[in-house]
Amino acid sequence: MILSGKRSRNAWVLLVLTVLLSSCVSKRNSYFLRDFQEAVNASLVQKADKDYMIQTNDNLYVSVKTINPEVNAMFAQSEGTAGSGTLYSSQVGQHIYGYQVDSRGEITLPIIGPVQVAGRTLKQAKEQIQVRADEYVKDSDIQVRLLNFKVSVLGEVRAPGVYYNYNNTLTLLEAIGMANGTTDYAKIKDVLVVRQGKDAVKPYHLDLTKKNIMASEAFYLQPDDVIFVRPQKLKNVKLNASYYTIGISSLTTIMLIINFFWG
């Protein structure tokens, strides 16, 4: 006695569907900036208009270089060494040797003295320090960086964690890249960016498959932003699919045996 054709087809169709469900991740959900074209409207890119404004308690790296070695020696803390690396090679070193913005919005530099930087962009702070430096030294070269620019990348990324940025600007896509990209279960159509505002926490929901994310206030990140890449709803089903497949395979085998002997 053999298994009837109808029952056999039903069993195998069920098995095939289960395997397909367990192995397929929608390709439509795996492409970033899917509608991106070569010619992007300039209005979408707001980098120049969204520069970070320095705030109280920020920690700044400030370098002042001149042609006078004696003057340079007074700013030499940024060029010194601690162990095998520079003084800024660790977060502790950055905290100790950086210039923290005080409650008045100022940093105090050797020779130059206090400089108001809060409420200014890094470029504006550099220009302000340059003006003050020109009062005391000649031909100075000023560099300003934000040392406390960190973001947290969580959820469906391959290396969740806290990441520091020293390039003054950081995009959402760059932050995800720091975390080694998204997993196969990432829901890139709904990525959450949480930002602490002056009065409240503000959430942003971004669809990474659309080029209009470049127009979002959250595309260019700010210090202490939290990025959460949500999982797809079928993640648990897909993770447990192997168990389902084994179960259905076992059930099919039992059905074959029963039908062979008693069908």
Side-chain angles (χ1 to χ4, degrees), residues 17-216:
L17 288 176
T18 303
V19 173
L20 289 176
L21 176 63
S22 66
S23 61
C24 293
V25 175
S26 175
K27 291 185 178 181
R28 291 183 59 82
N29 291 329
S30 63
Y31 295 120
F32 286 49
L33 299 177
R34 200 168 58 240
D35 66 350
F36 191 84
Q37 300 176 358
E38 292 184 4
V40 179
N41 192 322
S43 64
L44 292 177
V45 184
Q46 301 185 6
K47 177 179 178 180
D49 299 327
K50 298 297 182 182
D51 288 338
Y52 176 71
M53 306 295 287
I54 298 172
Q55 303 177 27
T56 299
N57 295 323
D58 276 346
N59 194 26
L60 303 180
Y61 163 86
V62 180
S63 171
V64 180
K65 297 289 184 60
T66 73
I67 60 175
N68 188 332
E70 295 180 357
V71 173
N72 290 342
M74 301 191 70
F75 294 93
Q77 63 178 19
S78 62
E79 304 299 329
T81 58
S84 60
T86 68
L87 294 178
Y88 293 92
S89 62
S90 69
Q91 303 305 323
V92 174
Q94 293 170 7
H95 179 75
I96 294 174
Y97 297 104
Y99 294 95
Q100 189 170 29
V101 183
D102 62 24
S103 58
R104 296 169 296 183
E106 298 176 342
I107 57 173
T108 301
L109 301 173
I111 303 177
I112 298 173
V115 180
Q116 182 72 33
V117 294
R120 292 188 168 99
T121 65
L122 292 168
K123 179 180 179 181
Q124 291 169 341
K126 174 182 176 180
E127 294 171 349
Q128 180 66 14
I129 295 171
Q130 184 74 66
V131 170
R132 293 294 306 279
D134 290 344
E135 298 176 4
Y136 300 95
V137 297
K138 294 181 179 180
D139 301 321
S140 61
D141 178 68
I142 311 296
Q143 295 295 327
V144 180
R145 293 286 186 270
L146 184 64
L147 292 175
N148 59 290
F149 196 150
K150 68 180 187 297
V151 296
S152 300
V153 188
L154 309 173
E156 292 300 321
V157 291
R158 301 188 186 280
V162 177
Y163 294 91
Y164 281 79
N165 169 61
Y166 303 108
N167 294 324
N168 295 344
T169 60
L170 179 68
T171 69
L172 173 61
L173 297 181
E174 288 172 331
I176 292 175
M178 288 179 173
N180 290 339
T182 59
T183 70
D184 293 338
Y185 304 108
K187 186 179 180 181
I188 63 173
K189 289 188 175 184
D190 186 16
V191 174
L192 177 66
V193 177
V194 179
R195 177 169 299 165
Q196 177 65 57
K198 293 182 179 179
D199 302 318
V201 174
K202 186 174 183 180
Y204 299 86
H205 296 268
L206 293 93
D207 181 349
L208 301 190
T209 67
K210 303 296 184 181
K211 68 183 179 184
N212 62 8
I213 64 170
M214 300 173 67
S216 170

Side-chain angles (χ1 to χ4, degrees), residues 3 7-8 10-11 14 248-261 263:
L3 181 66
R7 289 182 178 180
S8 177
N10 289 342
L14 183 59
I248 293 177
S249 177
S250 300
L251 180 60
T252 303
T253 302
I254 293 172
M255 292 172 61
L256 285 170
I257 294 173
I258 291 174
N259 278 274
F260 181 81
F261 289 103

